[in-house]
Amino acid sequence: MTEHSASTRPAAVADTALARRTLGVPALVFLIIAASAPLTVLAGGATTSFAITAQSGVPVGYLLLGVILGLFAVGYGRMSTYVQNAGAFYAYVASGLGTRPGIGTAFLALMTYNAMQIGIYGVFGFTASSLIEGLFGVTIAWWICALAGWLLVAWLGVNRIDLSAKVLAVIVLLEFLVVIVVSLLSLSSAPEGVTAAPLLAQNWMNGSLGALLAFGMAAFMGFESGAIYSEEAKNPERSVARATYIAVGIIAVFYAASSWALAIGLGPSQIVAQAQEWGPDLVFVFLEGRLPALLVDLAAVLFLTSIMAALVAFHNAAARYFFSMGRARVLPGVLAHTGARSGAPVVGSLVQSGLGLGFILIFAIAGAGSELGPLFPVLTMFPWLTNAAGFGLVLLLCITSVAVLRYFNRDPEQHPLFVRTIAPLLAAIGLGIIAVLIMFNFEVMIDSSSSPALVFILPGVIVGSGVVGLLWAQYLRVRRPEIYEGVRQANIG
């Protein structure tokens, strides 16, 4: 796909377009980091990794993942110079590997982003319900709280993307502030002294590295989303790559540093036991007695808003994949319609919101009277869908690395060896290993003791979505050759 052909729209939907040139590098960085939700990662992701892996080497996992994803970002960022498309994975793979793999990747991406976004409603509903009960003594069902969050996300989704970016910027900055405060308090407490113990090899080179990488990958979910906004970015040839590099660096270093500080604050010898006892509440239990109650409550509120930020970020990503597929007429063209004033992918956004609403209601009905009680959504909806999505993202990244490798090596003299071959090859190998590690650890990741079949069903659904995409591409080639040829022509490198 050339720089010019990438943004060409089929005649059938030529009157549709996303809002142009509304996002600069800072806005892109906030949109990317919002999906990773800094406070959610520390309070939820890091503590879960400490608890389940039973190792204090969690910070090292974040650093190693940062290296692998940094290698991926080298080729991925350069591709944004040549290809600007709201369906980034689809466009990159179609350009590098061909039309059928591109359409298959689009279906895989749709399933991945929708699963991640919808699954987060489970933890949002539970957290909001618990927070309201703790602050006001009022008990509200988790699904009612989830529906309130759903309504806000749906409204933001059909408005201008720069509105979402501004809202997310405020939330993300406040999240960083809370995490920094937690880290400083941790280092000032340090019952066993400030030490490098969590980083020592015996705490991660002991058979637990696979689990650390598998669980740590969730912290980076959404780092790749800058390219999804390339059609709405200012100077996308440079801004998308810069935003991606900045986001990967911040995520890797900040999460490694904050999880190390938390381990120091509780004591490296105690962090695992404490995480196993308190889970996501550990951060707030740590803050009690060290900060005024009002500030602890404020941190808990920001934990909820950080989850909201992730919901908005993944909603935007899923809506833009629907838009891109509708514009290419791979899916119904109505999905390509955008708001006259907002430039937002209105129909794609509404479809994503409809899916979210449906799953919230399904899990609300399924959880009625469950022996899991209020924990039902965080032990089912959240881990089932988000861990399946994490597996899907790793597959997407691995396939895209191969596509980048092939795309740049068609014209090798135009690209440095490291960019065209070394970085994407190492990234593909590393991501392939992580995909295998996730499969080996999937039973633990979703706690499948009550539903062992889910270990095979959930990854099967993710892989199956890509297979359906390949079959649909073949159908278009045979039955709707004008659509297939249009996609092919638009993605000729």
Side-chain angles (χ1 to χ4, degrees):
M1 181 186 289
T2 65
E3 183 176 346
H4 300 290
S5 65
S7 59
T8 302
R9 297 185 297 278
V13 289
D15 59 338
T16 63
L18 296 168
R20 297 283 178 170
R21 301 189 180 279
T22 56
L23 302 174
V25 172
L28 287 171
V29 172
F30 283 122
L31 284 167
I32 293 170
I33 295 179
S36 299
L39 184 53
T40 301
V41 168
L42 180 63
T47 54
T48 300
S49 293
F50 281 124
I52 294 180
T53 64
Q55 299 295 330
S56 61
V58 170
V60 177
Y62 291 135
L63 292 175
L64 292 177
L65 286 168
V67 172
I68 295 172
L69 297 180
L71 290 170
F72 169 84
V74 170
Y76 187 72
R78 192 175 183 89
M79 281 291 284
S80 67
T81 302
Y82 299 89
V83 181
Q84 289 96 49
N85 191 302
F89 285 129
Y90 144 74
Y92 292 1
V93 174
S95 297
L97 300 180
T99 303
R100 272 178 291 190
I103 294 176
T105 299
F107 277 62
L108 176 59
L110 276 174
M111 180 65 72
T112 294
Y113 282 116
N114 276 288
M116 175 57 68
Q117 200 273 350
I118 293 169
I120 294 174
Y121 279 120
V123 72
F124 177 87
F126 170 80
T127 302
S129 176
S130 299
L131 185 61
I132 292 172
E133 184 173 7
L135 293 177
F136 307 107
V138 178
T139 301
I140 301 177
W142 74 267
W143 57 270
I144 295 177
C145 296
L147 287 176
W150 170 86
L151 188 62
L152 177 58
V153 172
W155 178 74
L156 288 171
V158 296
N159 278 280
R160 288 176 60 86
I161 185 61
D162 52 343
L163 173 61
S164 291
K166 291 171 184 176
V167 172
L168 295 179
V170 174
I171 294 174
V172 169
L173 287 173
L174 290 173
E175 286 184 67
F176 273 110
L177 179 60
V178 172
V179 175
I180 290 171
V181 168
V182 172
S183 298
L184 292 176
L185 287 173
S186 296
L187 294 176
S188 65
S189 300
E192 299 174 19
V194 177
T195 171
L199 308 179
L200 299 179
Q202 63 261 32
N203 292 315
W204 54 276
M205 286 292 290
N206 53 10
S208 65
L209 182 59
L212 290 174
L213 294 176
F215 281 96
M217 190 65 201
F220 292 84
M221 282 292 295
F223 87 94
E224 77 297 337
S225 59
I228 295 172
Y229 302 103
S230 59
E231 295 183 50
E232 300 158 273
K234 300 174 183 177
N235 192 13
E237 294 82 3
R238 295 183 179 180
S239 60
V240 171
R242 288 178 180 175
T244 302
Y245 300 146
I246 292 170
V248 170
I250 289 175
I251 291 170
V253 175
F254 189 75
Y255 292 172
S258 59
S259 59
W260 167 76
L262 183 63
I264 296 302
L266 275 300
S269 67
Q270 297 299 313
I271 181 64
V272 170
Q274 293 288 318
Q276 290 172 340
E277 179 180 357
W278 295 105
D281 288 333
L282 178 60
V283 169
F284 306 105
V285 170
F286 173 78
L287 290 177
E288 289 178 359
R290 292 179 170 85
L291 289 178
L294 179 61
L295 293 180
V296 176
D297 290 339
L298 178 60
V301 171
L302 288 173
F303 179 50
L304 181 65
T305 60
S306 76
I307 301 172
M308 171 58 68
L311 280 168
V312 173
F314 285 115
H315 171 90
N316 288 337
R320 280 155 181 77
Y321 266 94
F322 278 123
F323 165 84
S324 181
M325 292 297 92
R327 185 175 61 185
R329 294 190 294 161
V330 171
L331 292 178
V334 68
L335 291 168
H337 286 302
T338 56
R341 294 185 178 181
S342 67
V346 172
V347 178
S349 180
L350 292 175
V351 170
Q352 204 290 317
S353 293
L355 290 171
L357 176 61
F359 272 86
I360 290 172
L361 295 177
I362 288 171
F363 275 87
I365 294 170
S370 170
E371 61 182 15
L372 298 176
L375 289 172
F376 178 81
V378 293
L379 295 179
T380 58
M381 185 179 187
F382 176 64
W384 294 356
L385 297 182
T386 58
N387 283 309
F391 176 62
L393 176 66
V394 174
L395 292 181
L396 285 168
L397 298 179
C398 188
I399 295 168
T400 303
S401 294
V402 176
V404 168
L405 183 70
R406 185 172 180 185
Y407 182 88
F408 287 137
N409 276 283
R410 289 175 184 161
D411 195 10
E413 63 275 8
Q414 298 297 318
H415 311 285
L417 176 64
F418 182 75
V419 172
R420 74 173 187 267
T421 301
I422 297 175
L425 179 60
L426 291 176
I429 294 172
L431 291 162
I433 292 172
I434 292 174
V436 173
L437 293 174
I438 289 176
M439 286 303 302
F440 276 117
N441 290 277
F442 204 74
E443 181 178 359
V444 177
M445 293 172 74
I446 66 169
D447 188 18
S448 63
S449 55
S450 59
S451 304
L454 290 175
V455 174
F456 305 99
I457 292 174
L458 293 175
V461 169
I462 294 296
V463 174
S465 66
V467 173
V468 169
L470 292 173
L471 295 174
W472 183 246
Q474 182 61 26
Y475 168 82
L476 292 176
R477 184 180 186 185
V478 175
R479 298 289 186 176
R480 302 293 302 276
E482 73 283 1
I483 294 177
Y484 187 89
E485 182 62 18
V487 174
R488 191 186 71 83
Q489 289 293 333
N491 291 286
I492 293 176

